[in-house]
Amino acid sequence: MKEQYHAQTIESELQAYWQSSQAFRCEHKEAQEKYYCLAMFPYPSGQLHMGHVRNYTIGDVLARYHRLQGKNVLQPMGWDAFGLPAENAAIKNNVAPAKWTRLNIENMKAQLQRLGFSYDWSREIATCEPDYYRWEQWFFTRLMEKGMAYKKTSAVNWCPNDMTVLANEQVVDGGCWRCDTPVERKEIPQWFIRITDYADELLSDLDKLDDWPEQVVTMQRNWIGKSEGAEISFQLKQAVAGHENISVFTTRPDTLFGVSYLGLALEHPIALELAENNPELADFIKKYSNKTTAEADIATMEKLGMATGISVIHPLTGGDIPVWLANFVLMGYGSGAVMSVPAHDQRDWEFAQKYNLPIKQVIDCKDIDYDLKKAALTNKGTLVNSDAFDGMDFTQSLEGIVKALEEKKAGRKQVNFRLRDWGVSRQRYWGAPIPVINCSDCGAVPVPEKDLPVVLPVDVEFSGVASPIKSMDSFIKTSCPCCGKDAERETDTFDTFMESSWYYARFACPDFDKGMLSTEADYWTPVDHYIGGIEHAILHLLYARFFHKLMRDEGLIHSDEPFQKLLTQGMVLKDGAKMSKSKGNTIDPQELIDRYGADTVRLFIMSDVPPEQSLEWSDAGVEGANRFLKKFWQTVFSFHQSLQSNNLVAIETENLNDRQKSLRKQTHASIKKASDDIERRHTFNTAISSIRELVNAINRFNIEESTKEQDIAVLNEAVVSALQLMQPITPHYSSHLLSALNVSANSWPVYDDSTQTESSQEFAVQVNGKVRAKIQTAIGVDKETLEKLALEQDNVQKYLEGLSVRKVIIVPNKLVNIVAN
RNA sequence: GCGCCAGUGGCGGAAUUGGUAGACGCGCUAGAUUUAGGUUCUAGUGUCUUUGGCGUGGGGGUUCAAGUCCCUCCUGGCGCACCA
């Protein structure tokens, strides 16, 4: 072996070998336990960034670890290739999105290979390939036939200057990012998939996801947002354009007697009707209608309202309730109208203060200090000022009030979800064409299976910012599959979340051309471990769960959930902020690989923090990782030298001296800790710490002439174990050094518990919870002896002076706490 | 605004089930090696008014015992449905 560590040489040798031998290709093997490890595939932006390096190193460490445990490991890689950036590049640089994307994929693939990730490249998928999206189109036509896909109008951001739809990201301070023109909301017809039909199952199956981070499960639960309450109908005093009632949903029917006003969304049909004959209302709606579709913006806007002049009748008291327009009421949630109870809802309270509306208390809470002059009382409590319901608690009053409403046909219990149906239409070019033909007689007709895929024309030029296929007659003009009449193709494309919702299953059978999925999908899925950024905790992961259930109900797959375990990695930060081009704080992984080699980069990115936490970039940390590898190389080199002139004999466990026993103890402690940290805890940073402790012990160990043979035997075990433990993290380095030591680089060291036996044990002795002494005792010492020994300690006596002992608490193998006063 | 998460030495972090706070690394200090810088090696390194106190963002609580559990406040991060 070489005396110096040359990362570039050993890495390129091994990578060439892995490639030529197709070392990580895998296939269905019934007898072997399978392990499907998947890291979220990247958008091919052109350059790998540190977030990718982190994501894919975590995946590769897990894949390599499980391969070393003898499992049949599938670790695929592909490209989430459709999306907005390709169009922006096309507009800016006049390059076709398909070509730009292909070049980016080539570049990033080379970078991934240079990092030594153990992918089965024979399964590579790019979602922009017709072979992939044809099955997505086919699946959508199945959803149309089942009534799971439907068309309705819905709002988009519209730039009146560019005459184009903008993504939320393209709206900057209410204006178009290209021309600053104030953005308008525009209602256009779009396709939706009924995810709300699966809301209950998506919610209840969260309970099956035991190996998902609790925070992700909680976020999904809140996003679906099931709430139980009542639908209450308020009769209008005078009908408006055929409407006789205003219906609201509330989770607090117990507060019905405290209603001060009803709030209407500005897009509510009654609001629009009233505005026809009332210029002030029309003005208000025009001025304060949401210009944006982003909920965060709507929720942070100033809450504004205007009285409409009409009123409704309280269903139980018969009293008059005024109707207001309120810009914070969302048309898309519930019925687009709310009942407002200022005394018991903080937002309503603030609105009432602002517009001088009555605040009527109907709930009392004896055990809470509150002041309705300062804030709303939002806790549940006992009803007051509520006629027959006074004195009832929440549950009693809910039953009673709903019953009273039912008798008057003015309400009923209702379950409401926050979740909305999934809008999948995009008015953009670089996406999978929606497989629909619009016929003036037959309506929206799904493209028949024999005509799929509807191929996206790739040889296009962007003359403006709009999608080129929207004006491409050769694409648009066709005939109706039903009646044969001239008809037009849909020119919208799918949301790119569609492609990323089922790619994990397609990796099982990427070349299958008889259908969307083959039976291989049931062998490989569910994914055993899915790894990706926490930013995907809700949308992507919810859509993928939904798609899995849709595919199951189509008979394509036979499990309920796509991802067994989920690991959500944190961000890579520099100077406290997420690395991004716009902030100019990026570190180019390629430069680091060129300078230090892939193993150093992999080691550093796994060293500092557990994967879930955000990682603060540190140049010194990379240096440190490289120094560790160089230093240990020297150690292995000199050990390799001594092996040349000495026999390697077996360890004689009965004949070891204390130094030798102590090294073995560290060796096996590190094996145990690193194995558990990688497999169960996924705390790679502590696994690495434990390997470093082993290496420190190896460096401290001197070979002595008198016990040379056994010294070399235990040292060999320690060095080989350290290298084997490092295999998943620094595969080139470990593999190279293990073969230099004539050890085959494909096994994991076996932990031996007998190395950990102790002749004595230590207890900490506390007085009133503070450590005052440490004592050594025999193993299995009895309680009385231990207590006596603890009390005898000089320092313990000192702190007990003038006190009497009340209680002694013994924590087995750990400590003795003497309680005294 | 709403939902979720995090906060521990000079810095990144460790403490796995309520049981000895600071593992491992970075940095720093001193010494050795070196023509010098760098490298490498050895020792030390929470803090203070040091026979002992104090210390896990602030305040309060539960407990024999709290970084860990509860309440509350502050700060930072992620998401909010058309970035992916």
Side-chain angles (χ1 to χ4, degrees), chain A residues 554-606:
Chain A
E554 182 64 27
L556 294 165
I557 211 159
H558 299 86
S559 51
D560 293 327
E561 287 287 334
F563 310 119
Q564 182 70 37
K565 266 191 192 181
L566 176 70
L567 194 158
T568 48
Q569 61 157 16
M571 317 247 127
V572 180
L573 312 175
K574 184 149 183 265
D575 307 321
K578 183 181 176 176
M579 278 193 187
S580 70
K581 276 187 194 154
S582 59
K583 293 196 192 83
N585 61 349
T586 52
I587 298 281
D588 182 5
Q590 196 57 51
E591 277 175 30
L592 291 171
I593 298 166
D594 293 344
R595 186 157 166 204
Y596 298 106
D599 283 332
T600 292
V601 175
R602 295 171 59 121
L603 178 61
F604 167 69
I605 205 102
M606 303 298 277

Side-chain angles (χ1 to χ4, degrees), chain A residues 12 26 29 197 234 357 384 395 472 741 755 797:
Chain A
S12 55
C26 64
K29 287 180 197 150
D197 278 15
F234 291 79
L357 291 155
V384 294
T395 316
M472 191 183 283
L741 295 174
T755 57
Q797 281 299 315

